[in-house]
Amino acid sequence: MNVKFLFKPSVLVLLLCSLVLFSCADGKKENEYTAYLFTYFTGNGNGEEAIRYAISEDGYNFHALNNNEPIIDSDSISRSGGVRDPHILRKEDGSGYYMVVTDLLAQKGWTNTAMTLLKSDDMLSWSSTIIDIPQTYPEFSEVMRVWAPQTIYDPSAKKYMIYFSMLEPGSYDKIYYAYVNEDFTGLESAPKQLFFNPNEKASIDGDIIKKDGKFYLFYKTEGDRDKGIKVAISDSLTSGYKAEPGNVDQTDKAVEGSGVFKLINSEDYILMYDVYIDGSYQFTKSSDLKNFEIVDEDISMNFHPRHGTVMPITTEEMQRLLKAFPSDDLTGVTGASNSAIKTNNIVIKSDENTIYLPVKYGTDLTNFDPELKTLPGVAVSPEGAQDFSNGPVSYEISTGDEVATFKVTAAVANNPVVEGYYADPEIIYSEKEKKYYLYPTSDGFTGWSGTYFKTFSSEDLVNWTDEGVILDLEKDVEWTSRNAWAPTMIEKEIDGAYKYFYYFTAAQQVGVAVSDSPKGPFKDSGVPLIAEKPEGIRGGQNIDPDIFEDPQTGKNYLYWGNGFLGVVELNDDMTTIKSKKPKVITPDGTFREGAEVFFRNGKYYFMWAEDDTRSPNYKVRYATADSPLGPLNIPEDNIVIQKDVEKEILATGHNSVIQVPGKDEWYLVYHRFTRPKGEAMGRAAGYHREVSIDSLKFNEDGSIIEVKPTLEGIAPLQ
């Protein structure tokens, strides 16, 4: 059964709130708030320019209401047939809510002159008024667009103020404001200018928040050297905004639609914005509203929002919204807190009434309390530790007057091998340390924009220790500071001492760094090792290096390439190239990137990733050769690993291979989309990946048996 939400407010919560001495700006006490409402639209397509709701219990993990469908018919509240950029505000006395939206349907073009004002007593039903600026105010008769209105209460004037951007011919977008009448159906007077970009570029998508007596105006600006989200600060709501230098957004991608909200009972603020070309949203955090850090790894959404806003809500308000706009995938349980659970990989299926809890190796499942997390007002029974060793445990989830029984399974899942977002895994066995070392790309950054590399160590390929950052482009590399991708590593014994050579991708070039320890720190050589594509290669990128020592000759080869596979022999110093003319040995049209070369029983094996890392069909193929320089023999059936739809394991690719020393025992180390969130992320899943390990086996003739990706992973090596 699907859970329906019928909640009653907690008398205890209301009693506690009545004792709190401090209040929020809208008259409600901060401790009354238990959750967040996110209002947003989803895109420019049919039916996407409409108001939608999502909720969160923590300000980080959001769940769409109403199955991500609109909560208001856009045709009924707009002239154009579409509305965008919803901003919601609680009335100062707590008696109702206001919302303002841009009246615009992108399919009709980007010129619009109207906005819609809405008001409601319950956030369920809304009355609306359309205000067309040129028709209402002759002095603005030539205005070409009216964008992204927002509302704020002015305590000095004791009125609500709407502010928005407007564009007039021969000028650039500026932010204007006007007070609203008591009925919230019209403006009291013609708009006045509130702010303009001192660089004489557009300023749109204004968002004002008050902190410590000052008003912070976040806005988007344009220009080749001046685009992004900026902030201007004033002591007055309606004048005196001074633009701060630099940007507050934390990406070089095109962004818009900033929204700032304060975390409940915290001194921290979230600044979120729409990375609209990539189809993603970025969240950042700050305590001073000037310096922000990315917190994308902590964020989850089962929908793809465009320009929206977040407002804190009470338990009663959340219950009301859940009852009016239920979603099939909302159970009332949002996760689990037990540190033994790999929380990124929890699977909650309301249509099947099941919850899957992946736990770390060594967890005692005979006496295990998952510490289930719920939305406010939801009760779970039984409480405390249960015996999960014999299969699922039945839990009753009570949501007001409704009770649903869920089967909860806790099972050891060694994949992913390390928690968090990592990709492009390289692995070695260190003879010096008698340990395995994993060297991945640090993932989870929009557009693969990470700037540092880490390593992890293990004695058994299951239990891993985070050894920290070993190379930071921004601190340790002079020739670039962007796009830290796809490293490869080799341990060499030189003159009786071990040296470690770390080849990495940065700014679509290949660098090399050296250390005396497999866990660094590493010192960069100072220049790229591979900066130019091989002769005759026009497309592709110089990325994804793989280092290989030929056990038959002792020669060292570096492979790399995206769209092509290049190879060069290295000098004995391992940091320079013997031949300045690389050889191109691209296997066939399936080759995309991520080469991996190893030697077994007289054969050289070449592996590579096919398709795009953002595609669920990303997979690994292989060929063999009698030489590290080819030619390559491609078997008819040469898939190494591919997605398993039934297990919801997708985009299995870009791998490395490790042999247990002294044994014919092999393992495939690869990345996949984060599970289960990845599939719903769209193309953003391509930079939210996880590292897994499964057994690699061979037929008697040396051909590779296709690896079936698993959740369980491998058993610890003895």
Side-chain angles (χ1 to χ4, degrees):
M1 64 179 284
N2 288 328
V3 178
K4 297 188 181 296
F5 295 86
L6 295 169
F7 300 103
K8 294 179 181 178
S10 167
V11 175
L12 177 59
V13 170
L14 295 176
L15 177 62
L16 289 174
C17 287
S18 68
L19 299 176
V20 178
L21 299 179
F22 62 91
S23 298
C24 296
D26 62 8
K28 281 192 175 291
K29 300 169 181 65
E30 186 169 10
N31 278 19
E32 289 187 44
Y33 298 126
T34 58
Y36 304 82
L37 173 66
F38 188 178
T39 61
Y40 61 97
F41 74 106
T42 56
N44 304 333
N46 293 333
E48 294 180 339
E49 290 163 298
I51 301 167
R52 290 166 166 82
Y53 283 168
I55 56 170
S56 171
E57 78 281 5
D58 58 8
Y60 290 87
N61 300 284
F62 287 86
H63 312 269
L65 295 180
N66 204 36
N67 293 313
N68 200 30
E69 294 297 322
I71 57 97
I72 306 173
D73 177 21
S74 293
D75 286 332
S76 68
I77 61 171
S78 70
R79 177 180 299 166
S80 66
V83 298
R84 304 164 65 96
D85 320 319
H87 178 266
I88 191 168
L89 179 73
R90 186 191 311 277
K91 291 176 65 174
E92 189 69 10
D93 61 6
S95 63
Y97 314 87
Y98 293 138
M99 187 152 45
V100 287
V101 293
T102 305
D103 186 342
L104 172 64
L105 189 69
Q107 295 175 0
K108 296 180 180 179
W110 295 99
T111 297
N112 78 298
T113 57
M115 56 184 170
T116 301
L117 280 59
L118 302 101
K119 57 182 179 179
S120 173
D121 295 330
D122 55 12
M123 291 187 287
L124 309 183
S125 59
W126 295 82
S127 61
S128 61
T129 305
I130 297 173
I131 298 178
D132 188 291
I133 295 295
Q135 288 184 7
T136 309
Y137 301 104
E139 58 265 58
F140 292 107
S141 61
E142 294 186 344
V143 161
M144 302 162 60
R145 59 192 185 207
V146 176
W147 281 359
Q150 295 203 176
T151 309
I152 190 170
Y153 182 72
D154 184 346
S156 60
K158 297 183 179 180
K159 296 178 182 180
Y160 293 93
M161 183 185 101
I162 293 181
Y163 55 100
F164 47 92
S165 67
M166 294 198 298
L167 175 66
E168 296 183 90
S171 185
Y172 49 92
D173 301 81
K174 301 173 183 176
I175 297 177
Y176 291 77
Y177 79 96
Y179 288 107
V180 194
N181 62 22
E182 287 190 15
D183 293 333
F184 206 77
T185 56
L187 307 182
E188 286 188 343
S189 60
K192 299 178 182 178
Q193 185 174 296
L194 178 68
F195 176 78
F196 69 93
N197 187 340
N199 295 325
E200 299 186 347
K201 299 290 184 181
S203 52
I204 63 172
D205 297 352
D207 183 40
I208 298 174
I209 190 168
K210 187 178 183 181
K211 179 183 186 302
D212 299 332
K214 294 185 180 294
F215 295 92
Y216 293 74
L217 168 62
F218 293 83
Y219 63 97
K220 175 199 174 176
T221 187
E222 294 289 355
D224 294 339
R225 299 182 180 179
D226 196 39
K227 63 182 179 181
I229 307 295
K230 297 179 178 290
V231 64
I233 305 173
S234 176
D235 294 326
S236 168
L237 175 61
T238 58
S239 63
Y241 286 95
K242 182 179 179 182
E244 293 288 305
N247 289 8
V248 291
D249 62 282
Q250 301 299 304
T251 177
D252 57 2
K253 302 285 186 179
V255 297
E256 63 184 16
S258 61
V260 181
F261 63 94
K262 187 175 183 291
L263 292 171
I264 298 168
N265 297 321
S266 169
E267 296 305 312
D268 291 329
Y269 294 79
I270 295 293
L271 165 66
M272 60 183 190
Y273 40 83
D274 184 354
V275 190
Y276 57 95
I277 292 178
D278 280 6
S280 63
Y281 232 75
Q282 186 160 80
F283 278 61
T284 63
K285 186 169 71 173
S286 173
S287 59
D288 61 8
L289 293 180
K290 293 182 180 180
N291 301 286
F292 292 85
E293 62 172 331
I294 297 172
V295 291
D296 284 351
E297 287 194 19
D298 301 323
I299 304 301
S300 69
M301 294 182 282
N302 64 343
F303 56 98
H304 301 291
R306 296 290 311 280
H307 191 164
T309 53
V310 170
M311 179 182 77
I313 57 176
T314 65
T315 297
E316 186 276 329
E317 289 170 329
M318 173 182 276
Q319 294 166 350
R320 185 195 316 156
L321 292 170
L322 288 165
K323 181 180 178 181
F325 305 112
S327 275
D328 293 340
D329 61 349
L330 267 172
T331 65
V333 174
T334 60
S337 300
N338 192 303
S339 60
I341 296 173
K342 297 182 177 182
T343 54
N344 258 9
N345 307 111
I346 294 172
V347 181
I348 301 174
K349 294 185 176 181
S350 60
D351 57 337
E352 300 177 5
N353 281 22
T354 61
I355 300 174
Y356 164 73
L357 305 174
V359 301
K360 300 172 186 176
Y361 180 82
T363 301
D364 180 7
L365 293 179
T366 64
N367 187 44
F368 182 67
D369 181 2
E371 302 172 27
L372 295 176
K373 295 167 58 179
T374 66
L375 294 172
V378 176
V380 173
S381 178
E383 297 180 347
Q386 307 297 318
D387 184 358
F388 287 88
S389 63
N390 296 315
V393 175
S394 293
Y395 277 78
E396 289 187 346
I397 300 174
S398 304
T399 53
D401 297 329
E402 298 287 333
V403 178
T405 300
F406 274 70
K407 297 292 187 182
V408 180
T409 299
V412 172
N414 291 331
N415 286 333
V417 296
V418 292
E419 293 187 78
Y421 300 125
Y422 297 95
D424 312 324
E426 165 72 327
I427 191 168
I428 69 166
Y429 179 77
S430 170
E431 292 289 349
K432 176 184 178 181
E433 301 287 346
K434 305 303 179 187
K435 289 182 180 180
Y436 297 92
Y437 284 86
L438 181 69
Y439 300 92
T441 297
S442 298
D443 211 20
F445 302 102
T446 300
W448 309 283
S449 57
T451 59
Y452 63 87
F453 296 99
K454 300 180 75 172
T455 190
F456 300 82
S457 67
S458 174
E459 295 181 353
D460 59 13
L461 294 182
V462 169
N463 298 290
W464 293 88
T465 299
D466 186 341
E467 301 288 0
V469 174
I470 58 171
L471 187 71
D472 188 328
L473 300 186
E474 295 180 333
K475 299 176 182 177
D476 306 326
V477 177
E478 295 180 357
W479 48 273
T480 190
S481 61
R482 64 179 177 87
N483 301 121
W485 301 346
T488 184
M489 165 70 83
I490 192 168
E491 178 186 65
K492 302 284 286 186
E493 188 174 4
I494 301 174
D495 297 330
Y498 284 99
K499 288 283 186 181
Y500 299 85
F501 298 90
Y502 187 71
Y503 305 87
F504 59 94
T505 305
Q508 290 70 53
Q509 301 175 86
V510 177
V512 58
V514 184
S515 177
D516 295 325
S517 167
K519 54 188 177 183
F522 283 82
K523 181 176 177 57
D524 178 57
S525 68
V527 294
L529 180 61
I530 304 290
E532 303 293 334
K533 295 173 188 173
E535 184 178 344
I537 299 295
R538 290 186 172 84
Q541 303 177 81
N542 286 324
I543 64 174
D544 297 1
D546 183 55
I547 183 67
F548 171 69
E549 180 182 354
D550 184 353
Q552 298 194 114
T553 66
K555 294 181 179 180
N556 296 281
Y557 297 93
L558 186 72
Y559 303 83
W560 81 97
N562 161 279
F564 65 90
L565 178 56
V567 56
V568 290
E569 185 181 347
L570 299 182
N571 290 312
D572 291 342
D573 63 10
M574 301 296 291
T575 61
T576 58
I577 296 170
K578 180 167 289 189
S579 171
K580 299 300 181 182
K581 188 174 182 180
K583 183 176 182 179
V584 176
I585 57 171
T586 311
D588 60 18
T590 67
F591 181 89
R592 180 61 175 263
E593 59 198 10
E596 168 73 2
V597 181
F598 64 96
F599 183 81
R600 176 185 180 271
N601 292 351
K603 284 187 179 181
Y604 298 87
Y605 288 80
F606 292 74
M607 291 181 175
W608 65 90
E610 176 187 357
D611 212 323
D612 189 296
T613 191
R614 294 166 290 190
S615 166
N617 297 317
Y618 198 56
K619 62 176 70 73
V620 177
R621 292 187 182 270
Y622 83 99
T624 61
D626 296 325
S627 160
L629 298 176
L632 305 184
N633 304 306
I634 303 176
E636 183 177 344
D637 182 10
N638 72 329
I639 292 178
V640 177
I641 191 171
Q642 60 184 326
K643 68 182 180 182
D644 188 322
V645 175
E646 288 187 2
K647 295 178 183 176
E648 299 173 316
I649 301 175
L650 307 175
T652 52
H654 198 135
N655 69 287
S656 58
V657 170
I658 189 70
Q659 177 187 13
V660 177
K663 297 182 179 181
D664 189 26
E665 186 176 336
W666 300 77
Y667 295 95
L668 190 78
V669 189
Y670 60 95
H671 72 233
R672 70 185 194 196
F673 283 175
T674 183
R675 179 187 187 274
K677 303 171 188 174
E679 187 171 14
M681 287 182 173
R683 293 174 73 81
Y687 41 84
H688 290 85
R689 298 163 293 181
E690 300 170 331
V691 174
S692 295
I693 300 179
D694 280 304
S695 294
L696 177 64
K697 297 185 180 298
F698 302 83
N699 291 308
E700 288 187 8
D701 63 359
S703 59
I704 291 176
I705 300 172
E706 183 177 331
V707 177
K708 302 301 182 182
T710 71
L711 304 178
E712 298 80 11
I714 64 173
L717 301 188
Q718 299 301 315

